Amino acid sequence: MQRAAEIPALDFSQLFGPILEENRPATAADTPRTDTREYSSPTPWENPAEGQETPHSATTAGESIEAPAQGLLLQAEQDREAAERATAAYKEIEQNRRRSEALQAEILKGTRSGASIYRLFLTAAEAIAEMTRNRYFFDQVQGDILQIYGRGLGEPEPLQIELDRTRGQLHHLQEAQKRETDLDSRERIAAAIRAHRARIRDLEDRIAATA
């Protein structure tokens, strides 16, 4: 039996070697590194996607928080001032109410004891002024009575009322002069004391003339 002829092995390296070597893709080890910059971590503004705030976004967030806080502080201050004003007004109303009640009791007592109608009328005017918080009303009524019925018509009772009031003012001036240490202020108070003493002498003469 005749053996089959052996097929020789074919070597194509010499034929395709240069072509394969030329077309083989370059690897990382074969490619020279041309970028000489050193690697560094990205700054916050270069990589905002990593959950880091940029300087602009941080400033905006701070301003958005600060603005409402300032508004709340301002509102709280306004509320506190409004509450203080309301408290002061309430205290004044209560004082005026108590004062008016005392004046009403004084009027009732005066009518029963035969007090002067002028004094009762002025007491009633003062009670109205206290209840309405209108001090000008009482000052106007008192001034008109003392000037018209007292100095104008020579009624002794209005003159006596003015005399009593002037003596009371003189007493307060004398007390103030004792407490005052400033020389200029003491001189002004002394001038007011002299004027009140002159008015008292004039009223006393007018009252004596009506007797």
Side-chain angles (χ1 to χ4, degrees), residues 108-183:
L108 292 175
K109 181 180 178 180
T111 54
R112 292 170 182 172
S113 61
S116 166
I117 190 65
Y118 291 105
R119 293 184 183 273
L120 292 175
F121 185 79
L122 288 176
T123 303
E126 186 177 3
I128 294 173
E130 294 292 347
M131 288 186 291
T132 59
R133 301 172 64 186
N134 184 8
R135 186 68 187 180
Y136 173 76
F137 170 77
F138 171 73
D139 294 339
Q140 185 66 43
V141 171
Q142 180 177 243
D144 290 343
I145 288 178
L146 298 183
Q147 290 295 325
I148 296 172
Y149 292 91
R151 293 179 179 272
L153 298 177
E155 293 287 338
E157 188 59 31
L159 290 172
Q160 185 63 46
I161 293 173
E162 184 178 0
L163 177 60
D164 295 341
R165 187 184 67 167
T166 305
R167 285 173 175 169
Q169 294 172 345
L170 176 61
H171 175 73
H172 291 305
L173 288 171
Q174 291 172 335
E175 292 297 323
Q177 188 181 39
K178 295 176 182 179
R179 297 189 303 267
E180 187 60 53
T181 58
D182 182 70
L183 181 60

Side-chain angles (χ1 to χ4, degrees), residues 53 55-72:
E53 295 182 348
H56 176 71
S57 64
T59 302
T60 305
E63 292 175 352
S64 64
I65 295 175
E66 183 178 358
Q70 291 178 347
L72 291 174

